[in-house]
Amino acid sequence: MSARQCKNCGGADIDIDQARGSAVCTACGSVLEDNIIVSEVQFVENSGGGASAIGQFVSADGPAKAPVLGSGFHTSLGKESRAQTLQNGKRQIHSLGSQLQLNQHCLDTAFNFFKMVVSKHLTRGRKMAHVIAACLYLVCRTEGTPHMLLDLSDLLQVNVYILGKTFLLLARELCINAPAVGKVVFYFTHCRGAGSFNK
């Protein structure tokens, strides 16, 4: 019940349902208010990996103030999350790239590949270390450095075929034509990875 007055019949017997956010005149049955207002803001994860707010803040003083949260909220939170992913990726690229003794140009190119991967949402369902290694190997192939996928596999202690699968996917999705390695290098990598080099 409330001290409000019905606009239609002038009755003062108003039933307010907090759970539904409605106010109904019990004398004439007019719905005076039907906006659902919640006292808390909930967050849900969207398909892009960001977070969106459900509902919005409403001032206790009335509807005069603009809502604090709206469509811009999930955008800024998504940008923050993406920036953090890029920062972590850059750090890991520099760490792994320095172990391979790659120059700054190669590291910058690998980071550019990584940014493209993140923008195309190709990191979903894949380990970050595998994606970073694949980006670095893309650079090794395009720049013609003497590194093999097996070098990255040894550094990360990851099966070379898992890295190879990620590398091929990224090369295809990013439309990067990585030059083929020589037959001897390919044979050595393939056979050594399969454990049949002496055959």
Side-chain angles (χ1 to χ4, degrees), residues 52-144:
S52 299
I54 298 177
Q56 60 187 28
F57 286 121
V58 177
S59 170
D61 302 333
K65 290 188 177 183
V68 176
L69 287 180
S71 60
F73 176 76
H74 71 79
T75 305
S76 63
L77 191 64
K79 283 181 183 174
E80 183 180 310
S81 175
R82 185 174 185 271
Q84 189 174 9
T85 300
L86 292 175
Q87 184 179 6
N88 289 339
K90 188 171 192 173
R91 187 172 28 82
Q92 290 182 42
I93 284 169
H94 280 269
S95 173
L96 194 57
S98 64
Q99 292 178 60
L100 294 171
Q101 298 180 343
L102 292 173
N103 62 31
Q104 190 60 45
H105 168 72
C106 290
L107 297 178
D108 292 342
T109 306
F111 182 59
N112 287 336
F113 286 153
F114 182 71
K115 286 194 285 189
M116 292 165 62
V117 167
V118 171
S119 70
K120 287 181 168 272
H121 308 293
L122 298 174
T123 55
R124 285 194 204 133
R126 292 178 184 85
K127 291 188 177 180
M128 181 70 84
H130 299 177
V131 173
I132 296 295
C135 289
L136 283 166
Y137 189 58
L138 271 172
V139 171
C140 292
R141 290 281 291 272
T142 55
E143 295 292 323

